[in-house]
Amino acid sequence: MALGEQTMQNSRQEPPSAWMRRGACPTLLEPMQTGDGLLARLRPPGGILSIQQFTRLAEAAQRHGNGIVEITARGSLQIRGLRTETVQPLAADLDAAGISVPPGPIIELSPLYGIAPDEIGNPAEIEALLRDKLAAAFLSPLLAPKLSILIDGGGTYGLAAVTGDIRVTAVSAGIWRVAISGDEQTALPLLTGSPDAAVQAVGDLLHLLMSCGRHKRCRDIERGALLAAFPFMEGVLARAPERKDPEAGTLALPDGSSVLGLSPRFGQIHASELISFLGSAGVLGATQVRPGPGRIFFLTGLDCRSAATLAEMASKYGLSVNRSDPEMSIAACAGAGACASGRFQTKARAEKLAAIAVELLDGSMVVHVSGCAKGCAHPRSALSIVGADGGYNLMLDGVASDIADAQIAGGDIDSAIEKLARLVKDERQAGESAAACLRRIGKYDAIKALRQG
């Protein structure tokens, strides 16, 4: 059966040139062609914008694009609907606003660095050292566009669940650990030492990657080469303590101020709504905007009363501050109409899913709604609903590119999701989460239930 939602092609766009080609990582000056025009992605040094800068970014998105501003799963900002002739004016407007975008790999920092109550080390200091000491290496065309460097200040709030090629994590005062290829629990540790030693280790890794060939990732480095460069590799890391990643809602800080985490619906907000909301936030005392992983941005500089006021206003602007909001459990990509690869309208499907399958959205797992098998919105295992020829592929616990546990015809997807939600509702034991319930039922019985009338 053909899909009910047809992929929309933007035939008015010029054919993408080499610098717009798909498959590369989009940047401010090298955007990517998508279904609704060109997509630019950016992350300023330190990952922080003032309220005024974020407002001017939204105004530029409205002036030069289609007005859609997105926050990615890794906390970068995206501006959609650009045209070839508006790319340079957008960059000029951002530069005039004092928003710089350094060349080379994106460096991701704990979003609450410098203010988190129990932070161990300051990631901004490590970033400054990396950019100073490794500036030449960062410019090498041999480095992979998607190479990721994470700097985690430790403490309760950080980047524990975010995967990266290179992780630099504070483990005690003045001591940092360098690890590769994973999140906090799975990355392979190479070295623990001073800030200078950590920066030197990152430089050694970059040169190893360049010696391996063009666009290699840390997972491609042979173990023998790692041992030669890091003879005292720490081996397999013992299970790290559980840490919370920052999430939507209000966090009170020891100095009496508050941080407010806000999540745009499915990571997307229109510039006009964002500008209006930021105007109110500025009046109430907000000073900074800090985009973070999980498609969340944080406002700082608030007192508890102003944070509560903004939290009450948020829903009027398509923002959520409720960490238990069912929609927070859904990761949806741009989908048809916004992405040339999208096979269905993912945002509409996600909204329908939130209405008919709340039993699946208790926060215990991610439901990934992906327009195609690339799985851009959520690269990790999830309950995945993926656009495919004639309908949808369903994976109960997998990534978008996995072999489907079930193939669902286009018109049957709502019924299938409702059956799965009803199965969880009927079979869930006291105190059991939706994810735990599905694991206990098992894939075979769950898929069998989907096929029953």
Side-chain angles (χ1 to χ4, degrees):
M1 178 182 294
L3 287 172
E5 302 92 347
Q6 296 296 324
T7 301
M8 296 169 58
Q9 301 291 340
N10 190 339
S11 59
R12 292 171 295 185
Q13 286 292 336
E14 302 89 349
S17 67
W19 59 275
M20 299 177 193
R21 64 187 180 277
R22 296 190 58 84
C25 193
T27 64
L28 180 58
L29 290 179
E30 294 189 351
M32 180 178 73
Q33 183 75 57
T34 65
D36 60 352
L38 299 174
L39 167 71
R41 183 180 300 159
L42 64 139
R43 183 183 182 92
I48 297 177
L49 298 173
S50 69
I51 288 288
Q52 294 76 19
Q53 285 176 322
F54 202 28
T55 299
R56 292 182 68 176
L57 181 147
E59 291 170 345
Q62 198 168 31
R63 184 160 50 247
H64 302 299
N66 61 11
I68 297 297
V69 177
E70 294 178 326
I71 301 176
T72 72
R74 301 187 70 93
S76 292
L77 298 171
Q78 293 187 159
I79 296 173
R80 304 195 70 94
L82 298 168
R83 304 182 306 280
T84 304
E85 64 270 20
T86 64
V87 172
Q88 289 288 350
L90 170 70
D93 281 358
L94 296 185
D95 184 63
I99 302 173
S100 63
V101 182
I106 287 178
I107 299 178
E108 303 170 38
L109 276 61
S110 313
L112 300 187
Y113 75 86
I115 58 175
D118 59 350
E119 186 175 57
I120 299 171
N122 189 344
E125 296 175 358
I126 302 298
E127 180 182 17
L129 283 172
L130 288 174
R131 294 198 182 281
D132 178 47
K133 303 294 186 182
L134 306 180
F138 279 176
L139 294 176
S140 172
L142 295 176
L143 294 179
K146 293 182 181 293
L147 181 74
S148 55
I149 301 175
L150 277 62
I151 311 178
D152 188 338
T156 304
Y157 298 95
L159 299 172
V162 183
T163 60
D165 285 282
I166 303 173
R167 301 182 62 86
V168 185
T169 305
V171 293
S172 61
I175 302 298
W176 297 79
R177 172 182 286 121
V178 178
I180 60 170
S181 302
D183 59 20
E184 183 173 67
Q185 305 234 354
T186 62
L188 176 66
L190 302 180
L191 174 143
T192 299
S194 67
D196 287 336
V199 170
Q200 179 63 51
V202 174
D204 291 343
L205 282 168
L206 295 182
H207 285 97
L208 265 179
L209 287 169
M210 289 185 277
S211 71
C212 291
R214 185 177 177 84
H215 294 178
K216 296 298 183 181
R217 308 290 289 273
C218 283
R219 60 178 177 264
D220 300 317
I221 302 175
E222 294 183 357
R223 192 171 184 85
L226 282 174
L227 284 168
F230 302 95
F232 302 106
M233 279 172 55
E234 298 178 43
V236 178
L237 179 65
R239 186 173 178 82
E242 291 292 335
R243 295 200 289 139
K244 289 179 63 178
D245 286 350
E247 54 189 14
T250 303
L251 172 66
L253 299 178
D255 64 2
S257 67
S258 294
V259 175
L260 181 63
L262 299 127
S263 175
R265 296 188 75 220
F266 311 123
Q268 189 177 87
I269 186 170
H270 197 276
S272 58
E273 294 181 313
L274 182 57
I275 292 165
S276 181
F277 180 78
L278 291 174
S280 298
V283 169
L284 289 169
T287 56
Q288 292 180 340
V289 179
R290 298 175 174 228
R295 300 178 176 83
I296 295 174
F297 69 89
F298 300 89
L299 297 180
T300 68
L302 301 167
D303 59 34
C304 61
R305 181 171 295 182
S306 58
T309 300
L310 283 172
E312 290 180 1
M313 297 169 52
S315 62
K316 299 177 183 178
Y317 299 92
L319 299 167
S320 176
V321 296
N322 183 2
R323 64 197 67 182
S324 62
D325 187 335
E327 292 179 354
M328 297 285 284
S329 296
I330 302 175
C333 67
C339 175
S341 299
R343 295 174 179 265
F344 67 98
Q345 294 174 351
T346 52
K347 300 296 192 295
R349 175 59 49 209
E351 290 175 358
K352 185 66 176 292
L353 193 152
I356 66 175
V358 68
E359 291 83 3
L360 300 175
L361 306 175
D362 63 353
S364 64
M365 63 181 175
V366 173
V367 179
H368 180 195
V369 182
S370 182
C372 73
K374 290 187 296 182
C376 299
H378 189 77
R380 291 177 289 170
S381 290
L383 198 169
S384 298
I385 303 165
V386 182
D389 291 339
Y392 302 83
N393 288 338
L394 178 68
M395 282 71 80
L396 293 176
D397 183 19
V399 298
S401 58
D402 283 347
I403 297 173
D405 295 318
Q407 295 178 320
I408 313 294
D412 296 337
I413 188 63
D414 286 344
S415 174
I417 295 302
E418 286 178 319
K419 287 178 183 178
L420 194 60
R422 188 164 57 248
L423 176 68
V424 169
K425 181 179 180 180
D426 292 343
E427 297 293 331
R428 191 188 320 219
Q429 298 175 354
E432 189 175 42
S433 69
C437 180
L438 284 174
R439 285 195 299 269
R440 180 174 52 79
I441 292 170
K443 286 187 178 183
Y444 176 81
D445 287 338
I447 296 302
K448 183 179 177 181
L450 291 186
R451 291 172 176 158
Q452 291 175 345

